[in-house]
Amino acid sequence: MANAFSLNIAVCIKQVPDSSGLRINPGTGNLDRSNAQNVINPYDLFALEAASDLKKSCGGTITAVCMGPPQAESALREALARGADKAVHVCGPAFSGSDTWATSLALASTVLLLDQVNLVLCGKQAVDGDTAQVGPGIAAHLNWPHIAFALRIRASENVLTGECSDDSGNFSASFPLPGVVTLSRGHYPLRRTSLQDWSKALQAQIRQLGPEEIGLEPDQLGIKGSPTRVRSIKTILFTKKTEFFRGSAAQAAEKIESFFRKKSSTPFAASPVRLPDPEKNCRIFVTGEIRKGRITPVTYELAAKALELSDEVSCGSALVFVTPASEIPVEVNPPPPADKVFVLQAPSAHPLDIVSLTAALADFFTHARPDIILGGATAWGRSLMPRLSVLLRTGLTADCTALTIDGKTGDLLQTRPAFGGNILATITCNRKPQMATVRPGVFKEAFAGHWPDQVCLPVPDSIIDSGITIMETSVPETPGNSLAGAAAVAAGGMGLGSDGFKLLEEFSILSGAAVGASRSAVDAGWAGLHCQVGQTGRTVQPALYMAFGISGAVQHLAGMQSSGFIISINRDPESAIFGVSDLAIIGDCKEILRALITRLRNRKNGSPEWKDS
Amino acid sequence: MNARNVLSALKAQPPDLRTAQNYVSPGCHERYLCDESRMAGFPPARMWFPTDTAGVSAALAWISECNERAAVSGARTGIAGGAVPYGAENLLSTERIVYKPMLIERNGEWFLKTGAGMTLADIQAFMRNRDSFPDHAPAGLYYPVDPTETSASVGGMIASDASGARTLFYGSTRIWVNRLTVVLPDGSILDLERGKFFAQAGKFYLKSPNGVVDDCAFSGVRIPGTKHVAGYRLSTDMDLIDLFIGGEGTLGVVTDAELRLTAAPECLYVCLFAGVDHPAAEFAACLKQRMPLLALEYMDRASMHLLRNFRDSASAASGVPDLTDWDLSVYYVEIPLDKGNARERVDILKSALTDSGLDPADSWAGFSPSYLDEMKRFRHALPERVNQLIADTGKSLPGLTKIGTDMAVPDHALPAMMETYSQGISREGLQSVTFGHLGNGHLHVNILPRSMEEVEKGKALYREFARYAVSLGGSVAAEHGIGRLKRDLMSVQYNPDEISEMLKIKRFFDPQFRLNPGVLFA
């Protein structure tokens, strides 16, 4: 209790269907929610634990805030059992149909109403929508700084520091309070709630707030207050034709190897649809991501898509970067397919200081007034784009898998998978710019013949004064190959065992496939958190996904079922994973893995076909 | 003779091997020779896998024609050797009698018609998927009996009158069986509905398909007021359907069943808590008095030690939640709730703990099904660990088995019974863990022998415990049944007159002892 200041923390929670109760109906291939109960979004539990941890060292109060239907009361009761001192339920028919923009506005307005809240904590994303937009959105509405995807947080002397980790390494970010942090599944163990905790939680009063109390007008709420609309919904039936294979381990290994060669090669980059033309009026923009001087692959993918869309509506497309330098180094980066490249030069802005970057971009876009802005759904983009969308007072659709232009209205049709991945929703935005993020690997990357003109615009220091300090601490601890953007992933589950994971690592080194793991395998300590594939881990869509000893819980399937080609190896012919697999091998995954490794070792020089062919 | 005391059997299928042969599987399949008891059976000459009542009827008619015997086999999840073929030329499996269950409504009550080969997991999955239900089916409709092993079959659960943790609230399988199709040893078929056919003054009649009427007269036997599955529950005015429930397949083969359904509680509060040297039995009585409980389970301190060692050696991969700070015995309760009474009941539980000197903070509680799942995983880890330990010790000592008791006593006698358990164990210097259905006065003492000498000591102690349980008005076999392994306990439970009354019933339905030789009776 050495600190003089006190923390008043609001933890925003959401009630979601429990993914452990979800099954894929084998008859229809649909998601069967009939047995799924409502629970607190798993990431929000980490936010609650982080809040309790801070309270232990700094004192203060924790208020759980939930916007949701009447039955969300049970989520608030559980939050009270899990350490919240007070609970606030934002509830009313007027809120229903809110998109992430309207939700973050309502939550931000609620936070302002609470007594001296100086820190808002959220889970990094809700597992039913997976957008990760509400946390940064709240921060933008409050005009507070934010840190997204923190693993651990601490506070001292009015400064909050979050430890983060992304594909480029580990770093810490600090800001003076007030501010917003979203929590990943990090270092906080979940408590066991006791009878005592529940008794207290059930006695507590829950404060109910309606639209009037939080000071919002009807047109700021629910469907009216939401810039995005679901235009149509399409159910995808699992029409996979699974080939079943039984045989010796050696035969299975041979089979896998032949598919590996066929499927895991990275496709050649596509050619852009047209030549860049610096004379065009740029109305479609891509927020470019640049790391240590190199443009990320997803930026090329989106540039290609933006150019394609711009051709349909006869305008130009541009890339915009915020960097300390005045131009993008052309010698190390192939030319992106864009009509123009804007470089917002901000010498004092750290490339991981999302708040400053967003401020610079918002200022630029307010003047440029584009129709469409696309960004990559990387950790960086998922933190930046939602904040930007609020600053530009428009909606954002996360993780789109298809983007097209409506021929009649000229609207951007944004298609994204919904919960469990077997529903595709097409979404439009009734404000401009229309904004969307896209996961890496969804679109094909393309390169232009020569570098487009670079236009450098200096950013005044006053715009980028976020107060955030970044300290880069280390390179990623990921051994071997990173899951992000991997062409092939070899993942293991409970059926593989801890010694099996050693084989998997060896296979990964020999083959170039990245190591993945199911949640239970990560829980068992056989693989690191960064390897976890699934709803609470990473979503991957490599050209080839190999599942060794993974039974196929829905939460795992959600993270990998859109992979190009899926091979699964399991002893149990009834495994759920076989339902989404192209090739189902029934057998002992360890033996097959050993046979595969032997095959690979026998190929001298590590076999170039197996690596980046 | 009147409509209520005459069972009319339908004609058997003709004993035509050609029809029946469709169901005979060539060869002998190893896995049908044993069940969870680890008892080893003798390979029968033929294995039958009929798919419906007519098939079972044809098979039994043929077996009867050939003057042979049949061992009945379900999902082989029993632990008393009831499904292990022994002294029979034929094995008759009901596992292929499967079809899509049917939901039936009658006078506002709901029933599920299902084949004997369906598993509990199948039924639970069917009940979860409301898509196929009529619109007016009430919410939360479910089959409430919850044997731990969900791969158990409907036929097996009925034959052994299975129970589970929630038997405390819902009773055992028996009262949830509304109607049965039973094939008698000669292949004739009975359709029995609860409430239709009764013994009257110790007498009932069976009319065979060719019109011959036989009568059976018997006296009742003493039935303990606890959970109890040992022989036939004979009383002079009994509902005759009850002969076949818990009859362990010795009188006929159940092929179809209509199970009664009920509405699940709106929500469930589950709580695990630690008890410090508190007399478990008195505490159980106090809890049960204060509010309805779906389940009240117990694990003694030795069980917790065993789990802890297991967790320490197998790390997180064991799936056992970390409760290493509890060096205590552990209680588990399930409380049915609705929105209106949640606060009240949680408080009652809290004050029950406080009044007994327990700390409500020393507990693990929650509402959602995820809590339930995790706690179940915790509880199930113990029997698994026990089996593993025995298997490990057994590597150097073949023939070593655990000795798991299955006695239940009335609530008032539980303190005395528990005292006897712990005295007996320490007197003989044996190692044991005790856990189970505290709320039903039904704890399993699992003796973990370290030598063959201890096996013998353990077996003797088992009989001693069993005799004491009976003297307290309890049961020697509360849920596992008698099967082939525990036949000697019949004479501990019943006097010779009672056993001969049961034999009368057996001879009446199965004069040649064709069905399940070696089960219940030698």
Side-chain angles (χ1 to χ4, degrees), chain A residues 35 78 192-193 195 198 203, chain B residues 128 322 347 363 365 369 371:
Chain A
N35 196 38
E78 175 151 6
R192 282 198 312 261
T193 51
L195 187 53
W198 281 102
Q203 302 291 346
Chain B
R128 270 201 299 270
D322 186 6
D347 269 352
S363 63
Y371 286 92

Side-chain angles (χ1 to χ4, degrees), chain A residues 28-49:
Chain A
T28 62
N30 278 338
L31 200 65
D32 171 12
R33 295 193 190 207
S34 53
N35 196 38
Q37 307 269 335
N38 292 326
V39 296
I40 297 184
N41 175 42
Y43 292 110
D44 302 346
L45 298 178
F46 299 114
L48 280 164
E49 294 298 343

Side-chain angles (χ1 to χ4, degrees), chain A residues 356-378:
Chain A
S356 295
L357 304 194
T358 314
L361 286 166
D363 183 57
F364 170 77
F365 285 128
T366 309
H367 294 101
R369 303 174 63 79
D371 290 336
I372 293 171
I373 304 174
L374 306 179
T378 56

Side-chain angles (χ1 to χ4, degrees), chain A residues 4-21:
Chain A
F5 75 103
S6 96
L7 273 173
N8 290 309
I9 308 171
V11 180
C12 297
I13 62 171
K14 184 180 186 188
Q15 195 176 45
V16 299
D18 179 10
S19 65
S20 67

Side-chain angles (χ1 to χ4, degrees), chain B residues 182-509:
Chain B
V182 178
V183 182
L184 296 177
D186 62 356
S188 61
I189 299 162
L190 286 182
D191 174 15
L192 290 158
E193 191 174 345
R194 185 170 289 285
K196 286 265 173 77
F197 305 104
F198 294 87
Q200 288 173 351
K203 199 159 185 191
F204 68 93
Y205 301 87
L206 175 66
K207 190 170 157 191
S208 73
N210 54 23
V212 179
V213 178
D214 276 327
D215 68 301
C216 179
F218 65 95
S219 312
V221 299
R222 292 165 303 147
I223 301 295
T226 62
K227 284 165 79 177
H228 178 64
V229 188
Y232 316 129
R233 299 177 81 96
L234 301 182
S235 73
T236 51
D237 55 354
M238 71 185 294
D239 190 320
L240 295 171
I241 195 173
D242 282 326
L243 285 172
F244 299 90
I245 304 168
E248 301 198 42
T250 54
L251 301 178
V253 179
V254 171
T255 54
D256 293 306
E258 195 179 282
L259 304 172
R260 192 154 56 90
L261 305 171
T262 187
E266 209 169 284
C267 67
L268 204 59
Y269 188 71
V270 291
C271 181
L272 258 173
F273 53 91
V276 193
D277 295 330
H278 194 276
E282 283 146 42
F283 180 63
C286 141
L287 263 187
K288 277 162 69 177
Q289 205 176 26
R290 295 195 189 196
M291 78 186 121
L293 300 172
L294 282 199
L296 169 53
E297 304 274 306
Y298 171 79
M299 273 187 202
D300 71 351
R301 196 186 274 217
S303 307
M304 288 299 286
H305 282 192
L306 191 68
L307 276 179
R308 180 156 46 253
N309 296 341
F310 177 44
R311 200 194 145 84
D312 290 349
S313 61
S315 80
S318 60
V320 181
D322 186 6
L323 290 172
T324 42
D325 45 336
W326 287 2
D327 183 20
L328 303 158
S329 54
V330 166
Y331 300 80
Y332 170 81
V333 291
E334 286 178 11
I335 304 172
L337 298 174
D338 56 45
K339 233 181 150 50
N341 61 18
R343 188 189 303 179
E344 180 198 351
R345 288 195 177 165
V346 168
D347 269 352
I348 294 175
L349 180 62
K350 188 182 151 198
S351 54
L353 261 66
T354 321
D355 295 349
S356 306
L358 304 178
D359 182 359
D362 223 353
S363 63
W364 177 23
F367 283 96
S368 72
S370 57
Y371 286 92
L372 183 68
D373 290 347
E374 229 185 322
M375 289 187 202
K376 265 192 184 162
R377 201 157 48 155
F378 174 72
R379 287 190 300 137
H380 294 175
L382 181 61
E384 276 165 29
R385 175 62 188 138
V386 167
N387 290 340
Q388 193 191 335
L389 193 74
I390 291 295
D392 288 350
T393 322
K395 273 180 200 150
S396 51
L397 289 170
L400 186 104
T401 54
K402 83 167 183 190
I403 296 149
T405 75
D406 184 32
M407 277 82 72
V409 294
D411 286 350
H412 67 84
L414 187 58
M417 192 72 227
M418 287 184 76
E419 184 59 29
T420 303
Y421 285 151
S422 68
Q423 277 176 6
I425 295 288
S426 68
R427 186 191 73 215
E428 299 295 332
L430 293 169
Q431 191 187 22
S432 77
V433 293
T434 300
F435 57 90
H437 318 295
L438 182 65
N440 285 111
H442 176 204
L443 296 176
H444 300 293
V445 179
N446 277 5
I447 298 171
L448 311 171
R450 289 155 289 194
S451 64
M452 292 316 286
E453 190 200 347
E454 288 197 345
V455 173
E456 292 314 311
K457 271 189 185 174
K459 282 182 179 166
L461 197 57
Y462 191 165
R463 282 187 71 88
E464 186 186 319
F465 288 160
R467 277 193 294 269
Y468 187 59
V470 172
S471 78
L472 295 172
S475 168
V476 296
E479 68 178 359
H480 297 159
I482 293 292
R484 291 179 171 87
L485 270 185
K486 300 188 173 181
R487 247 168 12 212
D488 59 336
L489 292 179
M490 286 290 275
S491 62
V492 176
Q493 185 81 57
Y494 302 109
N495 61 37
D497 290 345
E498 288 170 321
I499 293 179
S500 81
E501 290 305 315
M502 289 191 193
L503 280 167
K504 265 189 208 164
I505 301 289
K506 170 73 176 171
R507 283 196 200 95
F508 181 72
F509 284 104

